[in-house]
Amino acid sequence: MNDVTKVYKKLSDVLLDKGLIDAAKAEEINLRQVKTGESEEEIIKSMRILSDLDFTKNKAEFLRIPFVDLENTGFSPEALSLVPQSVAEKYHLVPYRMEPKDKSLYVAMSNPLDLETVEFLEKKTNLKIRTAMSPEAQIDSFIREKYEREKGITSEVSKALDEQKVDEMKVQSESMKKVSAEAPIAKIVTTILDYAVRSRASDVHIEPMEENVRIRYRIDGILQEKYILPRNVLDAVVSRVKILANLKIDEKRIPQDGRFNFNLDGNEVDLRISTLPVSYGEKVVMRLLRKASKVPSLPDLGLRGLALKNLIEAIERPHGIILVVGPTGSGKTTTLYSVLDRVATSKVNVVTIEDPVEYQMKGVNQVQVNVQAGLTFASALRSFLRQDPNIMMVGEIRDTETAELAINAALTGHLVFSTLHTNDASGAPPRLMDMGVEPFLLTSSLTCVVAQRVLRKICPNCRQDMEIPSDKETELKSTLGPIYTMIEEKWKKDGKKMTMPKIVGCDKCNNTGYLGRIAIYEVMPITEKISKLVVEKAAAAMIQKEAINEGMLTMKQDGYVKVLEGVTSMDEVLRVAQY
């Protein structure tokens, strides 16, 4: 919700202040209002200056009313159960949150100034009604989606609260086990997991708050709030997850890790569970690993042109180290699996040490780290050398010992793949040298460094093309340089004017405008000149400058090329590649 402080005389004043219209457009609105007698609101709507969302947001600010974007707000099944669907449809409103502490019900309305409706709701629910403004289309969509499609979780939450059994869990673990296995709680957990699988989520967060429990899903790399459950069901829901993962339900003081399988419509999903004691209870994070997932090819991931050529040349060599670098969650492991899928044939012995094993790959000997048993990246690497390997994959180079063993393996004729945490490709050699690796050994073994980030793709079902605004054209030209000119000439040759995608939003992409993900890359082969700089212990900036001179695209450049191809947006590129 927005913090409303400034007072405006007219809606056009808000738009002018925000830079959404200029003074000439504001004057045009005023003149038309005088001539025709139309309301300012009708005129602004007919001019189509703003989207419905932006119009409602600015109208709320003008009226000094809180605004809520229902598409990016989780809903409370408990709140939904208090207002029947017929009432929601008749008065064009939706209850989306409940605060038991101050007995408040938060309701989104297309007209929050309708005091009669507010008074009616207060009498019906016996709660204080706190109103907010939302676009009409969002309210319609919310009623359709939540009342009709989410009946399951709403009724199960109501049952769980009605039965008043949740408090018994605090008494003893046997009671906890019994309650968490009962129908309402089991169905709530199943619904949470069901939505995760159907929405292509990679992680589910069950987060205890002071007043309620927030359920969030990481979809295409972005966390989205979906459900807000009553505080009373927290212990039962967490216990249910713990039982499924074979964890100790009475141990709440320390973090625990476990796993279990979930089957939806014949598709088996492996879930890694992590619990963590936090201020208001236990937080649970569930990572979804789809067993039936097909390993994507390198071009499917987003590699193309010279970058793809350089990487393929590196992996076709019989020995050397190839590093994939980037922060956590940047898709490094997926890229390594795609590379392994390409090289793992019946003629070679491929072994991997991973933490954890995320994909089961045919023809590959995969080993999972087990620190308690003494199985680490370093100890596994030593054992691998006695397994007659051709190709080895080490999940991550975390310390000097692992780095040195990987380099020795490459120097003795093995092809080694691994990951490293650096921001870009040019930062990998200095990082390894900081670990104590000698520069001359590094240049003899390191053949290629791949840096990457993952970003969201434009939804193909609702994408629209628009002319490139002048400010964005300037940014594209300065970043891409001659590459921009080449792309522009290609467009002209095809008889078209250059465009970029516009974010719209539809039901298939949950009104975000994005669907699926793709990676942006920089691939840096270790050439003779770069080797010389590494031996001289040159700074990462010097190494990057030389790599660019030799034809390497930076991640930001690769991202901007994908923008001009209509694959993603500039905002997405800047979100992940601006550092």
Side-chain angles (χ1 to χ4, degrees):
M1 292 184 190
N2 54 335
D3 179 27
V4 184
T5 51
K6 201 168 181 179
V7 180
Y8 296 96
K9 290 183 179 179
K10 294 181 293 185
L11 178 56
S12 56
D13 291 341
V14 181
L15 305 184
L16 190 61
D17 190 41
K18 296 281 181 67
L20 296 167
I21 59 171
D22 55 22
K25 190 68 75 176
E27 184 63 27
E28 184 186 336
I29 293 166
N30 292 337
L31 286 172
R32 187 168 154 185
Q33 197 176 358
V34 172
K35 285 179 182 177
T36 64
E38 292 176 275
S39 71
E40 187 182 40
E41 187 176 321
E42 287 172 335
I43 294 166
I44 292 167
K45 275 188 173 181
S46 68
M47 293 173 82
R48 296 186 178 181
I49 301 166
L50 306 168
S51 66
D52 287 346
L53 181 69
D54 287 335
F55 176 82
T56 310
K57 193 182 291 184
N58 286 284
K59 183 182 173 183
E61 185 162 346
F62 167 58
L63 295 172
R64 306 189 77 209
I65 292 169
F67 168 83
V68 63
D69 181 356
L70 291 172
E71 286 168 4
N72 293 304
T73 303
F75 88 97
S76 163
E78 187 183 11
L80 204 68
S81 66
L82 294 171
V83 179
Q85 185 175 347
S86 57
V87 172
E89 287 172 341
K90 182 179 178 181
Y91 297 103
H92 217 244
L93 57 86
V94 285
Y96 63 94
R97 195 172 114 213
M98 185 180 170
E99 292 291 351
K101 197 172 183 180
D102 59 358
K103 294 184 178 179
S104 296
L105 182 67
Y106 288 77
V107 179
M109 304 174 69
S110 55
N111 180 19
L113 299 177
D114 183 355
L115 300 180
E116 283 185 26
T117 301
V118 173
E119 190 179 346
F120 164 72
L121 285 175
E122 286 186 338
K123 286 179 181 176
K124 183 172 180 59
T125 62
N126 206 25
L127 295 168
K128 172 70 178 171
I129 302 298
R130 299 188 182 276
T131 59
M133 183 177 272
S134 287
E136 289 184 21
Q138 280 195 6
I139 291 172
D140 289 339
S141 176
F142 192 100
I143 292 170
R144 188 172 61 250
E145 291 267 335
K146 305 300 185 279
Y147 277 104
E148 294 173 17
R149 297 186 195 176
E150 303 285 357
K151 282 179 184 173
I153 193 165
T154 304
S155 61
E156 298 309 332
V157 167
S158 299
K159 284 179 193 173
L161 292 171
D162 289 344
E163 288 172 6
Q164 293 295 310
K165 289 181 180 177
V166 180
D167 290 333
E168 292 174 19
M169 294 181 303
K170 296 169 185 172
V171 181
Q172 54 185 350
S173 63
E174 280 307 310
S175 172
M176 176 97 77
K177 194 174 287 189
K178 183 183 173 185
V179 171
S180 66
E182 286 175 356
I185 297 300
K187 284 181 182 175
I188 288 170
V189 173
T190 301
T191 304
I192 290 169
L193 293 175
D194 184 88
Y195 183 81
V197 176
R198 293 187 190 282
S199 63
R200 303 171 296 103
S202 60
D203 301 85
V204 183
H205 293 239
I206 301 173
E207 300 172 294
M209 315 296 280
E210 186 177 5
E211 296 292 325
N212 46 48
V213 182
R214 182 168 67 171
I215 311 295
R216 293 194 293 172
Y217 297 84
R218 191 173 293 281
I219 302 169
D220 292 334
I222 306 291
L223 275 172
Q224 298 177 17
E225 190 173 278
K226 172 68 177 174
Y227 301 117
I228 299 170
L229 302 181
R231 174 81 189 167
N232 307 41
V233 303
L234 172 67
D235 287 346
V237 168
V238 172
S239 294
R240 176 64 181 165
V241 174
K242 281 184 169 183
I243 289 164
L244 291 170
N246 201 24
L247 300 176
K248 295 177 182 177
I249 60 171
D250 54 347
E251 180 55 84
K252 300 180 180 182
R253 298 165 301 170
I254 58 171
Q256 294 186 71
D257 295 308
R259 64 195 308 161
F260 66 89
N261 292 338
F262 178 71
N263 202 302
L264 177 69
D265 300 335
N267 295 317
E268 196 171 0
V269 179
D270 188 19
L271 290 111
R272 288 211 325 268
I273 312 301
S274 172
T275 69
L276 182 72
V278 293
S279 299
Y280 297 113
E282 277 186 289
K283 175 177 176 176
V284 177
V285 174
M286 298 184 275
R287 168 150 286 189
L288 283 76
L289 305 169
R290 289 159 179 79
K291 291 190 172 182
S293 292
K294 182 178 176 289
V295 177
S297 68
L298 294 173
D300 287 343
L301 291 176
L303 276 158
R304 61 196 63 185
L306 184 63
L308 179 60
K309 179 176 174 286
N310 285 335
L311 180 57
I312 288 172
E313 283 179 2
I315 65 179
E316 285 178 349
R317 293 183 186 180
H319 56 81
I321 294 182
I322 296 169
L323 289 176
V324 182
V325 304
T328 302
S330 59
K332 301 187 297 293
T333 307
T334 304
T335 298
L336 282 180
Y337 279 129
S338 298
V339 169
L340 286 179
D341 191 51
R342 189 182 180 99
V343 298
T345 67
S346 58
K347 295 179 181 179
V348 292
N349 178 22
V350 183
V351 286
T352 74
I353 174 70
E354 304 170 55
D355 185 19
V357 174
E358 293 192 14
Y359 292 88
Q360 298 288 345
M361 295 190 71
K362 288 181 181 178
V364 177
N365 303 289
Q366 296 172 272
V367 179
Q368 178 148 332
V369 166
N370 187 340
V371 178
Q372 290 177 331
L375 182 58
T376 62
F377 285 124
S379 64
L381 258 176
R382 285 196 196 90
S383 300
F384 285 176
L385 292 171
R386 297 190 291 274
Q387 287 284 319
D388 185 30
N390 298 98
I391 299 166
M392 292 184 275
M393 194 266 266
V394 184
E396 186 185 337
I397 293 177
R398 294 177 179 170
D399 51 45
T400 304
E401 186 182 11
T402 309
E404 287 175 346
L405 284 166
I407 282 168
N408 287 332
L411 291 172
T412 52
H414 302 91
L415 184 59
V416 181
F417 299 106
S418 191
T419 70
L420 193 66
H421 285 283
T422 63
N423 276 334
D424 51 23
S426 58
R431 176 81 182 93
L432 288 168
M433 285 187 282
D434 286 344
M435 285 184 176
V437 176
E438 293 293 338
F440 70 92
L441 289 176
L442 192 54
T443 55
S444 303
S445 57
L446 189 61
T447 56
C448 186
V449 182
V450 180
Q452 69 176 91
R453 300 287 190 279
V454 283
L455 40 71
R456 294 178 292 173
K457 292 197 292 185
I458 301 289
C459 174
N461 304 294
C462 61
R463 68 160 271 186
Q464 294 176 10
D465 291 325
M466 66 175 188
E467 286 187 23
I468 303 172
S470 57
D471 58 329
K472 292 191 174 177
E473 186 179 21
T474 304
E475 165 71 6
L476 287 165
K477 281 182 177 177
S478 67
T479 303
L480 291 174
I483 301 166
Y484 185 90
T485 309
M486 286 168 59
I487 296 170
E488 191 174 34
E489 285 173 0
K490 188 178 182 301
W491 279 77
K492 284 178 182 175
K493 194 176 179 183
D494 295 337
K496 297 176 184 176
K497 190 173 182 181
M498 279 180 80
T499 60
M500 64 190 299
K502 181 182 177 183
I503 311 301
V504 182
C506 64
D507 288 343
K508 291 186 179 177
C509 62
N510 199 23
N511 289 296
T512 60
Y514 297 99
L515 187 66
R517 292 198 287 175
I518 197 166
I520 53 174
Y521 290 93
E522 55 186 44
V523 177
M524 186 180 79
I526 307 301
T527 61
E528 196 176 324
K529 287 183 179 178
I530 289 174
S531 292
K532 191 179 176 188
L533 289 171
V534 172
V535 169
E536 291 169 357
K537 296 187 177 180
M542 292 283 289
I543 295 171
Q544 185 183 55
K545 189 178 178 182
E546 179 54 40
I548 291 168
N549 289 340
E550 293 179 9
M552 181 187 84
L553 285 185
T554 64
M555 283 181 285
K556 192 174 180 182
Q557 287 175 326
D558 187 31
Y560 280 175
V561 169
K562 288 181 169 78
V563 169
L564 295 174
E565 289 173 348
V567 175
T568 189
S569 69
M570 283 184 72
D571 289 342
E572 271 298 285
V573 176
L574 293 171
R575 180 178 69 83
V576 302
Q578 190 84 319
Y579 53 84

